[in-house]
Each structure stands twice: as C-alpha cells, then as structure tokens.
Amino acid sequence: MNWVCTGRSRRRAAGLAADFGHDVLQHFGQLRARLVQPGASETLMAEKLLENRFSLAGEEYRFDGAIDWKRKDIRVEKPLAGFELHYHGYLQCLARKYSEKKDREYADQWHEIVSSWLAENPFSMREIGYSWSPYVISERLRNWLGSFFWLGDALDARLAAQMKESFALQTTVLASNLEYDLQGNHLLQNLCGLTVCSAFLSGNDAPRLRRIALSKLAGEAESQVLADGLHEEKSYGYHAKALEDILEVIAVADAGGYCDVEMESKLIGSLKRIAGRMRMHLALALAAPGDIPMFNDTWELDKKQVENLVRVSGKYVAKEQISPQARTLGSGYLEGKAGEWSAVFDGGSGGPDHQPGHAHADHLGFELWLKDRKIISDSGNCTYTPGPERNWFRSTAAHNTVRIDGYDSMELWGAFRAGRRPSKHKVAIEKNRNGLSVWKGSHDGYRFLSGSPRHERTFVLSEAGVCIIDVISGSNTHLVESFLHLHPGIEPSPQPDMDDDDSCKAKLEQIAVGLEIEDLISDGVFSAREFVAKGPEGSGQQGWIAGFWPGHVDCSLTSLSGYYAPSFSKKIPRTVLSLSCETEMPVK
C-alpha cells in the first residue's frame, strides 16, 4: 500500500479555506435530517454519550475521564470499532438532541469530543491507515457538516476556526490518498466524501478539485453499479450506504455547490440516473419479500429505514426501470412472491473479481419468507477480524446452498481475500406465470475436484410451496451436502416424523402438481421435518420441510448447530438442516 501525502497536502491546504456558512450546508443538512428516523434508541445513545459511553461495531465502550483515541483494545483488537470512534457519526446524535431540547449539556459534550480529537490527533503518516485513513476522513468530515446544521449558533467560534483549518487539511489528505488499492465501496465512498467536501472549500485550487472529484465519482459510480442497480459488492448494507453517499452529492449539486452549470448538467445527470437504478433495486427488494436480504457482508437493515431511504431519494431521483434481462446480467438476484411465499435467489457471482473482500461462498443460495416471516435465512456476518469466526460466516456451510467434499464454492483466505472461484455461472428466469416462478442457476466452483462436478439448481416458487432441485453433474464419487439455515425462532421437529407415511406422501404428491415436480416426488425417497414459527408475531405458522433423493442413494437429513449474525459482534444460535450423501455423480 503506497500512500502519497506529506508536504504537498499541507501546501495545498494552506491555499484553501473552508466555508460552512452558505446555503449548500442547509441542503446537505436537510437531506441528512430526512434520512434519520429518530426514536427511543437515539435518545438512549445521546444519554450514554454524555457519560462517554460509545456504541461501536455492535459493542459498548466506556471511557473514564478523557477519551483515549488510541485505546489498544479498540485500535488493535477491534479495528472496526476504532474506525467508528474516529468517524464521529455519534456527533450528529448529540447535535440533534441539542436542537430538539436546547439543552447546552448536549452541545457542550459535542464541543468536548471535537476539541479532544483535534488536540490528540494531529496529522502524521503513521495515522494514514487509521485515524487519518481516507475512509475515516470522508466519514468524519461529512459528520461534521451534518452536525453544523443541527448546532446552528451553538457552535463555538474559536473551535469552528480550528475545524475549518483541519477540514481543509483533511480534504487534501483525502484527495491525495484515494483507496484505488481497495476499490469497491471504499473508493466510491472516498470520492463521494471528497466531492461533498470540495463544495465547502474556496481558493485557487478549489474549482479544479471539484471538477476532478465529480468527474472521477461519476465514472466510478457507472463502473460499480450493476445493470439491475445493485452495487457490485452485492451487499445490501453497502448498497444502501452507497446510495446515501451519492444522494449527498446530488443534494449539494442541487444547491449549486459545484459552480459549473455545464459540468453539473452532464455528470450530475449521470449520477441521478445511476441513483435512480439503485433506488429501484431497493424498492423491488422491499416489494417481494417485504424485507432486505442478508447476502454477503451485510447486517439486518431496519425495514422502516430502508423504506424511508427509498422515499427520500425520490425527492432527488426518479426510479429507473429494470428489465428481466438486466436482473440476470446484473447481480443475478431474483426476487418473487407467490401466495404466502416469497423468496430471493442468488444466481450470480459472489462479487467483483477485482474486489472479493465482502464476498461469501454462497453461490446459488437463497432466503425464504412465509407470510412475511423469514423462514430460511443467510447467516450474515458478525466480525471482520481474521480468524475462525470470520472464516465460518463466509464459508459455504454458513449458507443455503451445496458443498462438495467439504470444500467451499470459492476459496477463502484472510479476512477479505478469495482465491479459486467459479469461472462460469449462469442464471435464468425460466418461467414467470400463473403464480409460478422457476429460476435456474449453475456454477463450476468445484471443477477442480476429480470428475469436475458442477452444481445446477432449479428454484420453484408457487402458492403450493417451494421446491429446490439440485443436480450435481460430473463423475466419480463425492460427498454432497445441502444446507438449510432456519431463521432464529423457527423450530423443526427433532426426529423424522413423516418417513414412509403414506398420507404425508399423498399430500406431497398433491403439492408436487402445483410445483410441477411430480417425477421428483413419485420416484424419490424422502425424510421430513415439521417446523413451527415461534414468537408472538409468528405463532400459528407451521409447515413441513422434506428432503428427497433417489432410492439407490444412501442419504440422510440431520440437524446441525449454526449461527445468525444480525449485526457486528452479535450472533444467535439456530438450527441448520443438512441433506447429505456420498455417492457416484451425477446425482439429483
């Protein structure tokens, strides 16, 4: 990693001046205000901040006395928590509470935190990978801007002068250290931050900085957003963040922040079309399952927050229509609804080949809902710290798909690396009529094994039920395991209670007609589990999960233990069903 900075950034900063007093700040602050949905949790957070208690990466950290910005257990052991400490995202919470209650206690704590940071974190090359990293700078400066909107006249003039000087220096450091080595959401976020911050700078270099930043951002956004509007890293958490970041640039442009009508017309027009596709993709994800999928590195997104993002973005961009072809050529995520069932199927790649850091070995995985209650879910991710936990959450066994001979469909190493992966994958919408959806996908992620096995999956969604048909082609004998991760609160029966039950088989044959899979049911051996959706909102929901296989194959349906991570640093035990056999290929 080669960072460029030192004297050049300081000289450039000396020729720039920060200005937070114009109308552009109001437009930026108003967008941030619309994107926030205050609630009891925000009030609790503000009260904790008054006691120097910070919620960082899903855990609470307390400082007795002054804030230790280089605290070892945060900086070394939980670096994401350390980054969040330096993002200063919590400053907006304090500023909003001050604006709401006009209680100086909140404003005073805001000033104390910023003063402490400025005093304890001067620029140095040693900090370019941490407190002065490009990602952190971009987050911090926009959080400062968002705070100014809420603080208003409560901002101390002397501290404001210090912040202006630091703002100019941080922006030039950011401009000199864009994360081209990491690319992906990091580079997009850098450019969004740089483009926003450039609008609050004046001086000889400011117009050129704005032109370069906006031009690079438009090009990078066009490259990173897929044909169906999803961000290339295929994480809904990062997709929502990227859309918010681009909307901030658009809001600043709408306020005249870039002072170049011709440039804005072309580049901002491009960004608005891209953001429109991103908005449409989120709207479609909400429409089918009524929830946001957990594929790749993501976390549970609050449905109301996402709905609000889709609604607020409509003030800035129009929805761009997405064709069925774009869905298969883009992310490969297919969503649909049939009666009480809804699902999202992942028939695409794990992520971009040039940046697989947030990709999981989840090829041909899916999530499933019954009556808007999630039944089968991805595992999420609870940590970015290298080690067994991070490895498991990225592994094939942590997803609703097939593993062969104990290998992952994509070779994973380190916390953010991948090696061997599928070179060919296909996804297609085969049928979409009369309440019946049939999706097909395949990949060759196991081609390196003897006999070159290939995984092909057909996903059938209908009012009668849901059927997943897996075919492993190739030759030689292999261990094949298919995993179903039951969402927490979904309880299966502990033992097979329907095997060889004629009435059960008759019912399944009846359902098979609706699924158009009569041959699979009539010719197969099966084992089944009853499931019940526990909890007040899910009481009364129940059904069967049955595993089928050819009569000549020695197969078993067993229960395993797994985890579900709704957020960082949090994991919940749950049941995983495994359908496995060791047999000659091909097998269905």
Short mmCIF file of all heavy atoms in Angstrom, two decimals, residues 157-190:
data_model
loop_
_atom_site.label_atom_id
_atom_site.label_comp_id
_atom_site.label_asym_id
_atom_site.label_seq_id
_atom_site.Cartn_x
_atom_site.Cartn_y
_atom_site.Cartn_z
N ALA A 157 -17.17 29.78 18.12
CA ALA A 157 -16.44 30.42 17.01
C ALA A 157 -14.98 30.00 16.98
O ALA A 157 -14.40 29.76 15.90
CB ALA A 157 -16.56 31.94 17.12
N ARG A 158 -14.35 29.90 18.15
CA ARG A 158 -12.94 29.54 18.20
C ARG A 158 -12.73 28.10 17.72
O ARG A 158 -11.82 27.82 16.94
CB ARG A 158 -12.42 29.70 19.62
CG ARG A 158 -10.94 29.36 19.77
CD ARG A 158 -10.51 29.55 21.21
NE ARG A 158 -9.12 29.12 21.40
CZ ARG A 158 -8.52 29.09 22.59
NH1 ARG A 158 -9.17 29.47 23.68
NH2 ARG A 158 -7.26 28.68 22.68
N LEU A 159 -13.60 27.19 18.18
CA LEU A 159 -13.50 25.81 17.75
C LEU A 159 -13.81 25.69 16.26
O LEU A 159 -13.16 24.92 15.54
CB LEU A 159 -14.45 24.92 18.55
CG LEU A 159 -14.43 23.42 18.21
CD1 LEU A 159 -13.05 22.83 18.42
CD2 LEU A 159 -15.47 22.66 19.03
N ALA A 160 -14.76 26.47 15.78
CA ALA A 160 -15.11 26.46 14.36
C ALA A 160 -13.90 26.83 13.50
O ALA A 160 -13.68 26.24 12.44
CB ALA A 160 -16.27 27.41 14.09
N ALA A 161 -13.11 27.80 13.96
CA ALA A 161 -11.92 28.22 13.21
C ALA A 161 -10.91 27.07 13.14
O ALA A 161 -10.28 26.83 12.09
CB ALA A 161 -11.29 29.44 13.87
N GLN A 162 -10.73 26.35 14.25
CA GLN A 162 -9.83 25.19 14.26
C GLN A 162 -10.33 24.09 13.32
O GLN A 162 -9.54 23.45 12.61
CB GLN A 162 -9.71 24.63 15.68
CG GLN A 162 -9.00 25.53 16.66
CD GLN A 162 -8.97 24.90 18.05
OE1 GLN A 162 -9.98 24.77 18.74
NE2 GLN A 162 -7.78 24.48 18.45
N MET A 163 -11.65 23.88 13.34
CA MET A 163 -12.23 22.83 12.50
C MET A 163 -12.08 23.18 11.02
O MET A 163 -11.84 22.30 10.19
CB MET A 163 -13.70 22.62 12.86
CG MET A 163 -13.92 22.06 14.26
SD MET A 163 -15.67 21.80 14.67
CE MET A 163 -15.99 20.29 13.77
N LYS A 164 -12.21 24.46 10.68
CA LYS A 164 -12.05 24.88 9.29
C LYS A 164 -10.64 24.58 8.79
O LYS A 164 -10.44 24.09 7.68
CB LYS A 164 -12.36 26.36 9.15
CG LYS A 164 -13.83 26.71 9.24
CD LYS A 164 -14.05 28.20 9.08
CE LYS A 164 -15.53 28.57 9.15
NZ LYS A 164 -15.75 30.02 8.98
N GLU A 165 -9.65 24.87 9.61
CA GLU A 165 -8.27 24.60 9.23
C GLU A 165 -8.05 23.10 9.05
O GLU A 165 -7.42 22.65 8.08
CB GLU A 165 -7.32 25.16 10.29
CG GLU A 165 -5.85 24.96 9.95
CD GLU A 165 -4.93 25.55 11.01
OE1 GLU A 165 -5.42 26.24 11.93
OE2 GLU A 165 -3.71 25.30 10.94
N SER A 166 -8.58 22.31 10.00
CA SER A 166 -8.44 20.86 9.92
C SER A 166 -9.22 20.31 8.73
O SER A 166 -8.76 19.38 8.05
CB SER A 166 -8.94 20.22 11.21
OG SER A 166 -8.83 18.81 11.15
N PHE A 167 -10.40 20.88 8.45
CA PHE A 167 -11.23 20.44 7.34
C PHE A 167 -10.47 20.55 6.01
O PHE A 167 -10.48 19.62 5.19
CB PHE A 167 -12.50 21.29 7.29
CG PHE A 167 -13.55 20.83 6.32
CD1 PHE A 167 -14.59 20.02 6.73
CD2 PHE A 167 -13.50 21.21 4.98
CE1 PHE A 167 -15.58 19.60 5.83
CE2 PHE A 167 -14.46 20.79 4.07
CZ PHE A 167 -15.50 19.99 4.51
N ALA A 168 -9.79 21.67 5.81
CA ALA A 168 -9.03 21.87 4.57
C ALA A 168 -7.89 20.86 4.46
O ALA A 168 -7.64 20.28 3.40
CB ALA A 168 -8.50 23.30 4.51
N LEU A 169 -7.18 20.64 5.58
CA LEU A 169 -6.07 19.70 5.56
C LEU A 169 -6.56 18.27 5.33
O LEU A 169 -6.00 17.53 4.51
CB LEU A 169 -5.28 19.78 6.87
CG LEU A 169 -4.13 18.78 7.01
CD1 LEU A 169 -3.11 18.94 5.88
CD2 LEU A 169 -3.44 18.93 8.37
N GLN A 170 -7.62 17.87 6.04
CA GLN A 170 -8.14 16.52 5.88
C GLN A 170 -8.63 16.27 4.45
O GLN A 170 -8.44 15.19 3.89
CB GLN A 170 -9.28 16.26 6.87
CG GLN A 170 -8.83 16.16 8.32
CD GLN A 170 -9.97 15.78 9.24
OE1 GLN A 170 -10.57 14.72 9.09
NE2 GLN A 170 -10.27 16.63 10.22
N THR A 171 -9.25 17.29 3.85
CA THR A 171 -9.75 17.12 2.48
C THR A 171 -8.59 16.91 1.51
O THR A 171 -8.68 16.06 0.60
CB THR A 171 -10.58 18.33 2.05
OG1 THR A 171 -11.66 18.52 2.98
CG2 THR A 171 -11.15 18.14 0.66
N THR A 172 -7.51 17.63 1.68
CA THR A 172 -6.37 17.46 0.78
C THR A 172 -5.67 16.12 1.02
O THR A 172 -5.17 15.50 0.08
CB THR A 172 -5.37 18.61 0.93
OG1 THR A 172 -4.98 18.74 2.30
CG2 THR A 172 -5.97 19.92 0.47
N VAL A 173 -5.62 15.68 2.27
CA VAL A 173 -5.07 14.35 2.55
C VAL A 173 -5.93 13.28 1.87
O VAL A 173 -5.42 12.33 1.25
CB VAL A 173 -4.99 14.10 4.07
CG1 VAL A 173 -4.64 12.63 4.35
CG2 VAL A 173 -3.95 15.01 4.71
N LEU A 174 -7.25 13.43 1.96
CA LEU A 174 -8.17 12.51 1.30
C LEU A 174 -7.94 12.50 -0.21
O LEU A 174 -7.85 11.44 -0.84
CB LEU A 174 -9.61 12.90 1.62
CG LEU A 174 -10.72 12.19 0.86
CD1 LEU A 174 -10.70 10.69 1.14
CD2 LEU A 174 -12.09 12.77 1.25
N ALA A 175 -7.81 13.69 -0.80
CA ALA A 175 -7.62 13.80 -2.24
C ALA A 175 -6.34 13.11 -2.70
O ALA A 175 -6.27 12.59 -3.81
CB ALA A 175 -7.60 15.27 -2.66
N SER A 176 -5.33 13.10 -1.85
CA SER A 176 -4.03 12.51 -2.21
C SER A 176 -3.95 11.02 -1.93
O SER A 176 -2.96 10.38 -2.29
CB SER A 176 -2.91 13.22 -1.43
OG SER A 176 -2.88 14.58 -1.73
N ASN A 177 -4.97 10.47 -1.27
CA ASN A 177 -4.87 9.08 -0.82
C ASN A 177 -6.13 8.26 -1.11
O ASN A 177 -6.53 7.42 -0.31
CB ASN A 177 -4.58 9.04 0.68
CG ASN A 177 -3.22 9.62 1.01
OD1 ASN A 177 -2.21 8.96 0.88
ND2 ASN A 177 -3.20 10.89 1.42
N LEU A 178 -6.75 8.51 -2.24
CA LEU A 178 -7.93 7.74 -2.61
C LEU A 178 -7.59 6.25 -2.67
O LEU A 178 -6.53 5.87 -3.16
CB LEU A 178 -8.47 8.23 -3.95
CG LEU A 178 -8.95 9.68 -3.97
CD1 LEU A 178 -9.26 10.12 -5.39
CD2 LEU A 178 -10.16 9.88 -3.07
N GLU A 179 -8.49 5.41 -2.20
CA GLU A 179 -8.19 3.99 -1.99
C GLU A 179 -8.35 3.16 -3.28
O GLU A 179 -9.17 2.25 -3.36
CB GLU A 179 -9.05 3.44 -0.87
CG GLU A 179 -8.68 4.07 0.48
CD GLU A 179 -9.59 3.63 1.61
OE1 GLU A 179 -10.70 4.16 1.71
OE2 GLU A 179 -9.16 2.76 2.40
N TYR A 180 -7.52 3.45 -4.26
CA TYR A 180 -7.52 2.69 -5.50
C TYR A 180 -7.04 1.26 -5.27
O TYR A 180 -7.32 0.37 -6.08
CB TYR A 180 -6.65 3.37 -6.56
CG TYR A 180 -7.31 4.59 -7.17
CD1 TYR A 180 -6.91 5.87 -6.80
CD2 TYR A 180 -8.33 4.46 -8.10
CE1 TYR A 180 -7.52 7.00 -7.34
CE2 TYR A 180 -8.94 5.57 -8.65
CZ TYR A 180 -8.54 6.84 -8.27
OH TYR A 180 -9.15 7.95 -8.82
N ASP A 181 -6.31 1.04 -4.19
CA ASP A 181 -5.86 -0.31 -3.89
C ASP A 181 -7.01 -1.21 -3.44
O ASP A 181 -7.03 -2.40 -3.72
CB ASP A 181 -4.77 -0.29 -2.82
CG ASP A 181 -5.22 0.38 -1.54
OD1 ASP A 181 -6.00 1.35 -1.61
OD2 ASP A 181 -4.81 -0.07 -0.45
N LEU A 182 -7.99 -0.63 -2.75
CA LEU A 182 -9.13 -1.41 -2.26
C LEU A 182 -10.31 -1.38 -3.23
O LEU A 182 -11.07 -2.34 -3.31
CB LEU A 182 -9.58 -0.88 -0.90
CG LEU A 182 -8.59 -1.06 0.25
CD1 LEU A 182 -9.16 -0.49 1.54
CD2 LEU A 182 -8.25 -2.54 0.45
N GLN A 183 -10.48 -0.27 -3.93
CA GLN A 183 -11.58 -0.10 -4.88
C GLN A 183 -12.93 -0.32 -4.18
O GLN A 183 -13.10 -0.04 -3.02
CB GLN A 183 -11.39 -1.03 -6.08
CG GLN A 183 -10.07 -0.83 -6.82
CD GLN A 183 -9.95 -1.71 -8.04
OE1 GLN A 183 -10.73 -1.62 -8.97
NE2 GLN A 183 -8.96 -2.60 -8.02
N GLY A 184 -13.92 -0.81 -4.90
CA GLY A 184 -15.22 -1.12 -4.31
C GLY A 184 -15.84 0.03 -3.56
O GLY A 184 -15.68 1.21 -3.92
N ASN A 185 -16.57 -0.30 -2.51
CA ASN A 185 -17.29 0.72 -1.74
C ASN A 185 -16.34 1.72 -1.09
O ASN A 185 -16.73 2.87 -0.86
CB ASN A 185 -18.21 0.07 -0.70
CG ASN A 185 -17.46 -0.46 0.51
OD1 ASN A 185 -17.21 0.24 1.49
ND2 ASN A 185 -17.07 -1.74 0.45
N HIS A 186 -15.11 1.31 -0.80
CA HIS A 186 -14.15 2.24 -0.19
C HIS A 186 -13.85 3.41 -1.13
O HIS A 186 -13.92 4.58 -0.75
CB HIS A 186 -12.85 1.52 0.17
CG HIS A 186 -12.87 0.91 1.52
ND1 HIS A 186 -12.14 1.40 2.58
CD2 HIS A 186 -13.55 -0.16 2.00
CE1 HIS A 186 -12.36 0.66 3.65
NE2 HIS A 186 -13.21 -0.29 3.32
N LEU A 187 -13.52 3.09 -2.38
CA LEU A 187 -13.18 4.14 -3.34
C LEU A 187 -14.40 5.00 -3.65
O LEU A 187 -14.30 6.23 -3.75
CB LEU A 187 -12.63 3.52 -4.62
CG LEU A 187 -12.22 4.49 -5.72
CD1 LEU A 187 -11.19 5.50 -5.22
CD2 LEU A 187 -11.68 3.74 -6.93
N LEU A 188 -15.57 4.38 -3.79
CA LEU A 188 -16.79 5.14 -4.07
C LEU A 188 -17.09 6.10 -2.92
O LEU A 188 -17.43 7.26 -3.13
CB LEU A 188 -17.96 4.18 -4.29
CG LEU A 188 -19.25 4.81 -4.79
CD1 LEU A 188 -19.08 5.33 -6.22
CD2 LEU A 188 -20.40 3.81 -4.73
N GLN A 189 -16.93 5.62 -1.68
CA GLN A 189 -17.18 6.47 -0.52
C GLN A 189 -16.16 7.59 -0.44
O GLN A 189 -16.51 8.74 -0.14
CB GLN A 189 -17.14 5.60 0.75
CG GLN A 189 -17.47 6.32 2.03
CD GLN A 189 -16.20 6.73 2.80
OE1 GLN A 189 -15.09 6.75 2.24
NE2 GLN A 189 -16.36 7.06 4.05
N ASN A 190 -14.88 7.30 -0.72
CA ASN A 190 -13.84 8.34 -0.77
C ASN A 190 -14.26 9.46 -1.71
O ASN A 190 -14.18 10.66 -1.38
CB ASN A 190 -12.52 7.78 -1.28
CG ASN A 190 -11.85 6.79 -0.35
OD1 ASN A 190 -10.87 6.16 -0.73
ND2 ASN A 190 -12.35 6.60 0.85
#
